[in-house]
Amino acid sequence: MSSGIVGGKIAANVVMDWSVNDSYDNGTNQSLRADSDPKPGTVMNTIISNIDLVDTELRSEEKGSTVLMSKNRKKTMTSVYLKYFETALDGKSRRCKICGQSYSIATATGNLGRHLSNRHPGYDKIGDFANSPTLQLVTVAKKPPTHAKLPSMELDHLNWLLIKWLISASLPTTTSAEKWLTNAFKFLNPSAELWPVEKFQTVLFEIFRSMQEEVRLMVEQVPPKVSVSLDFWTSYEQLLYMGITCQWIDENWSFKKVLLDICHIPSPCGGPEIYYVLLKVLRLYNIESKILSCTHDNSPSALQACHTLKDDMDSQKVPAFCYIPCAAHTLNSIINDGLSTTKSVILKIREFVLELNSSKEISDAFVQFTMAYQEGNWKFPLDASARWSGSYQMLDIAFKAGKSMETVIRKYEEQLGSRLLLNSAEKNVVKIMHKYLEPFYKTINNICTNKELTIGLVLFFMENISETLALCKDSRQSPDWLKSAAEEMCIKAQNYSDQVCNVFIYMTAVLDPRIKLELIPESLNSESYMEEARNHFSRNYSSRYFPSIPNPYSTTQELETDGSTSFAEEIARKKRRASLNSATDELTQYLSEQPAPIQTDVLEWWKVNCPRYPRLSLMARDFLAVQSTAVPPEDIFCSRGDEIDQQKFSIPHRDTKALLCVRSWLQSGIKLSYKSTEIDCERIVDLAAASATESSSRSFDRKQKG
């Protein structure tokens, strides 16, 4: 028998074999019309399209002519595939002579050709198996399904996308070794290979080094003065870390900030260790002589480190360096003292709120009752965090929706328990504390939502808090337990006021056009501070527009004592004096004008008015960048802080510096780079999507041609 005839018989029987199987599966005895085209989209058509047929037509061996079979007739179960299988002794199954795989006779016919094509490609060239019941078993690996290939490039696309995800989610590099993550990628593309954890760690560190160099070059180009702020936290490994952030205002009057570094503070984690690490970072970025202020988190160790740094600056004759306590940490500590008296009541309300958040049935009932009792609208899930925002909302719910709360607890008493019901004394505490803390709520809300939280504005808010505390402490209507709490709160408020009472803070406050002299706290409003501010302005900003002329305070006396003063020197002296007078006039004119409205955009105001105050605006650019808080206020007062703390807490030491720094730099708009080469992850995604679309299109075209 010739190979062409064999090929024709195999092709014919392949089609007949699949058709018979399809009839059996549907429980019918339908016959196949050989001259009818298979319908696109059917299972039969899909399967047949994956088989490499030797001949696609049904041929007759008689007289070597081709005859199309047009009559409908019942097909027999004979198939050329049967010679590759043997019938089992029970007569109910067939077993492959090549690999031993068994199939039930009831469904075997439809599976024989598929089995041979997938498991034993080239089976028809092995020889005649009809008289060879005993065969040497040969197993051929099953071909994997065809997948769209990842686009080729110098670097591995999939791994770069994965490392971008790890950075964005603040996940440790060991996440890449998770079994199910690897399996998921294998499922999508069996050819995908993930880097080992060690390579992820190495690449992440190289990214950190490359991007840090970009940050260093950027900071070198900033204006003459910058400010820094310090943030501290302890990880799950009980290691203390310090984050150092730099702030400044650029020539377009846009506020800028960038994370410089995250450093581990070595044991014993005191002031000297913090000072040493901080100084090392300042020198790395070459801003030791540029630093104007340092805002810390109020901890004793940070305070000691900043004091040592100021001594260093004074010894180097760096003008006007100052360290500032964080207003947000201070205010949070003050509030915690007040909330401590109602801790047990707040815990009871929080337990109720957590039940509301976890049960849609209970929360729906609560909403219905609040509507019926007209006790306000409440958006779920409610903030139940232990921070200020959550604690005040507990009091707010119990005060404004107390009747609905009690009704819900009684309705679901079996599930919630009567222990959550507030007694009359607890309700009275809620009423008193809600009224007492309402000014704090409004103040903190303004602090968290204000885009330009200058020193002057914070002092304005803190003075209002101090007045509230004084009224409560001296009021005859306040209960003794509240007076006691107010006294403790007053002590911390006064301590903050004492730390910020200096000429540096005075200059920073008056340069806010919303504050000036009218709204500055009384503790700062003194003639001595005004005189020192004028002197500082004259010494450091009056000759900024005359760079070729020496500083008047360093050369004037020498010129006056020299009897042989040249004509050029006399002209220079006149210009310096005119510059001093002009600078003083600028400050005087600025302070004599009415303050701008509180809602004024401070930087925009200075951008518009800098032509009127060319020298004073230079000073404003330096001082308005000074931070009143070490971290964004919402990180301290709102539930967002819990998420940030959890992320920082759970990162292992090996990844902390690189992971958190790179993430912050990406959020600041700095491009992801590796060994000075930009890695465009968005472009990688676009290329992969385009490649997958092209591959799918080619596959569709092949099927259509087949």
Side-chain angles (χ1 to χ4, degrees), residues 17 47 152 343 438 452:
D17 184 44
I47 297 174
S152 58
K343 184 177 181 180
E438 188 173 8
E452 296 173 324

Side-chain angles (χ1 to χ4, degrees), residues 196-249:
V197 174
E198 293 74 16
K199 184 170 182 179
F200 273 108
Q201 292 170 340
T202 302
V203 170
L204 177 61
F205 185 69
E206 287 295 334
I207 292 174
F208 165 77
R209 292 179 58 184
S210 180
M211 296 183 71
Q212 186 184 45
E213 179 61 19
E214 292 185 36
V215 173
R216 190 187 66 81
L217 294 175
M218 178 178 65
V219 173
E220 281 186 351
Q221 300 174 7
V222 303
K225 294 297 180 180
V226 298
S227 297
V228 298
S229 56
L230 310 180
D231 180 28
F232 296 87
W233 73 91
T234 303
S235 73
Y236 75 97
E237 297 170 315
Q238 296 301 301
L239 297 177
L240 179 65
Y241 290 95
M242 174 176 65
I244 307 170
T245 304
C246 179
Q247 301 92 10
W248 70 92
I249 298 172

Side-chain angles (χ1 to χ4, degrees), residues 628-640:
S628 57
T629 62
V631 295
E634 58 268 25
D635 292 358
I636 295 177
F637 296 114
C638 304
S639 57
R640 168 188 166 183

Side-chain angles (χ1 to χ4, degrees), residues 558-601:
E558 179 181 345
L559 291 174
E560 288 178 350
T561 57
D562 189 352
S564 58
T565 302
S566 66
F567 179 68
E569 289 171 341
E570 289 181 2
I571 296 175
R573 183 189 303 174
K574 290 180 181 179
K575 284 184 174 291
R576 287 196 296 271
R577 287 174 178 171
S579 176
L580 286 172
N581 293 334
S582 176
T584 303
D585 290 343
E586 278 189 32
L587 182 59
T588 302
Q589 181 182 351
Y590 167 78
L591 293 176
S592 64
E593 296 177 352
Q594 291 293 322
I598 292 295
Q599 65 270 21
T600 299
D601 185 323

Side-chain angles (χ1 to χ4, degrees), residues 292-303:
L292 182 65
S293 70
C294 180
T295 306
H296 58 85
D297 71 339
N298 305 4
S299 64
S301 297
L303 183 62

